[in-house]
Amino acid sequence: MNTSFPTRIVSRRKFLGQLSAGMSALAAAPYIRAQGGAAPRKLGVALLGLGNYATKELGPALKLTKDCYLAGIVTGSPQKVPEWVKGYGFPEKNVWSYETMGRMAENKDIDIVYVVTPNGLHMRDAIAVAKAGKHVIIEKPMANTAAECDAILAACKAAKVKCGIGYRLHFDPYHKEMMRLAKEKDFGVLKKMTGDRGFHINNWRWRIDRKLAGGGPMMDIGIYINHAASMCAEGAAPAFVTAQHSPITKPDLFKDVEEGTRYKLEFANGAVCDAFTSYSHSADTFRAEGDKGWIHFKEKTFTYRGVKVDTSRGPLDFTPYVNQQALQMDDFARCVREGRESVVSGEVGRRDNVVIDAIYEAARTGKRVAVKV
């Protein structure tokens, strides 16, 4: 038995000390390298799309970041501009519409653009950002299809800019612990996984429009389960998938996209994840088991705060709360500054779109489909 494991699981003091030290070291590295020891400027971020996530999560997180700050916006809603300018203190010259955002190429305040528009617009917007010479973060999913991801990656490569995905959970301490467990095999190989995520949707405009959303709950919330399963597989994609869409119970809403999907992810090492996602039930759980133990996200698994996690050797309690989005954006800013690739790069986003493409094919054909990343 690994006698050091319980301390690592239940001691939040030790974890926070390690987290703080690690983050301090990461943050300090570019400062130490700066000429004469002077701290380099924070990188400027523009939010492209001012919907709920940008307004309630990303904007406030950018008031907490240490390596970047909100320097501008791109919006199709001019009535929102005064509140953002006043609330964040950037000049009005750093405001663009979707038609004029190419002009940000001339603006040195902006280093990074975070694309927060509907999925079906990600390819259009990310390519425009790359052509403007700005590094790009794209909210998940990266795009509607893997082919669209390829187009984005090609544009970023041609423009020599970095591409990252808004996978904030890579910076959440609970999910980081799950990835550590997978890597260090504290519970053995995590071969049995289950995931369930859903909520009751009403008429959330673009989320039930195939052109804008790319699909239904699989694109929106099922992707979290798929990504968590790959975390447990040390970054690997499943080798095969099977899937079946749920019966439509609300035809007035689900005219264009699926209502739910029950599916299985099979990994090359023999691991299996049984999953369900839908817009007609409430759930937010994930569990992974090895031959030596298990980790169970009981509730709020993939949300921004309030997660509850048990393990076979004790509960996890990483308090105080950390802002996932702030950590995510600061890490990307350091990647840009240091010339390294993000752990949640565009290639990782593409991987998850390939998996979703395969799930939709499996549901359509009724066949077991190989995942070709």
Side-chain angles (χ1 to χ4, degrees), residues 241 243 356-367 369-370:
V241 300
I356 290 175
D357 286 354
I359 290 170
Y360 278 133
E361 182 182 351
R364 178 180 60 82
T365 63
K367 297 179 179 179
V369 174

Side-chain angles (χ1 to χ4, degrees), residues 51-353:
N52 188 66
Y53 189 59
T55 301
K56 294 186 177 180
E57 302 297 337
L58 295 178
L62 282 160
K63 292 185 175 181
L64 304 175
T65 45
K66 295 178 172 60
D67 294 281
C68 57
Y69 71 103
L70 185 57
I73 54 174
V74 180
T75 180
S77 303
Q79 71 276 12
K80 295 181 179 181
V81 172
E83 182 178 355
W84 282 82
V85 169
K86 180 180 178 181
Y88 291 91
F90 51 81
E92 290 193 16
K93 70 181 181 66
N94 290 6
V95 176
W96 297 271
S97 69
Y98 297 116
E99 292 74 27
T100 65
M101 64 181 176
R103 297 176 190 169
M104 74 171 66
E106 306 160 5
N107 189 303
K108 294 183 179 180
D109 292 345
I110 308 300
D111 302 284
I112 299 164
V113 178
Y114 200 135
V115 175
V116 209
T117 46
N119 311 337
L121 304 179
H122 286 182
M123 181 177 69
R124 178 201 72 179
D125 296 335
I127 290 175
V129 170
K131 288 182 177 180
K134 308 300 181 182
H135 303 281
V136 58
I137 303 173
I138 308 168
E139 189 47 38
K140 65 83 200 159
M142 185 175 177
N144 274 4
T145 64
E148 291 184 0
C149 296
D150 288 336
I152 294 170
L153 291 171
C156 290
K157 182 178 181 180
K160 298 181 180 179
V161 298
K162 294 192 179 300
C163 178
I165 308 300
Y167 285 138
R168 55 188 166 76
L169 292 174
H170 270 260
F171 305 93
D172 168 74
Y174 296 94
H175 289 79
K176 288 184 70 171
E177 176 64 6
M178 182 172 70
M179 288 187 284
R180 185 196 69 78
L181 290 172
K183 181 178 181 180
E184 298 183 11
K185 308 294 187 295
D186 279 11
F187 291 156
V189 178
L190 300 175
K191 284 195 172 183
K192 182 180 179 182
M193 295 171 273
T194 55
D196 188 355
R197 187 153 203 224
F199 66 89
H200 292 275
I201 198 169
N202 291 315
N203 185 6
W204 279 28
R205 301 184 303 278
W206 66 267
R207 281 182 171 82
I208 53 176
D209 180 326
R210 181 171 297 278
K211 183 177 180 181
L212 289 177
M218 178 58 61
M219 297 292 291
D220 184 19
I221 50 180
I223 187 173
Y224 285 102
I225 301 172
N226 307 346
H227 193 85
S230 286
M231 285 178 171
C232 292
E234 298 186 67
F240 295 93
V241 300
T242 52
Q244 182 178 18
H245 291 321
S246 306
I248 299 293
T249 65
K250 300 177 182 178
D252 56 324
L253 284 181
F254 302 107
K255 301 174 183 178
D256 205 24
V257 300
E258 79 278 5
E259 185 171 343
T261 306
R262 193 171 298 278
Y263 59 104
K264 179 178 290 188
L265 310 176
E266 302 174 54
F267 291 83
N269 67 351
V272 172
C273 179
D274 289 301
F276 179 54
T277 185
S278 89
Y279 278 153
S280 294
H281 84 300
S282 296
D284 196 1
T285 64
F286 185 81
R287 182 183 177 95
E289 302 178 22
D291 58 4
K292 298 178 183 179
W294 50 263
I295 181 169
H296 182 198
F297 290 73
K298 299 186 298 180
E299 57 183 270
K300 298 185 178 180
T301 304
F302 304 113
T303 52
Y304 312 133
R305 52 192 69 84
V307 62
K308 303 294 183 183
V309 184
D310 277 341
T311 78
S312 52
R313 298 182 189 173
L316 297 183
D317 181 17
F318 295 142
T319 51
Y321 159 78
V322 296
N323 188 290
Q324 301 164 357
Q325 290 87 353
L327 295 179
Q328 169 210 323
M329 290 186 284
D330 266 345
D331 182 77
F332 188 77
R334 291 193 294 270
C335 287
V336 169
R337 185 180 289 145
E338 298 167 17
R340 60 182 172 87
E341 294 304 314
S342 170
V343 295
V344 287
S345 66
E347 285 74 14
V348 176
R350 179 190 183 278
R351 177 202 71 192
D352 289 351
N353 266 102

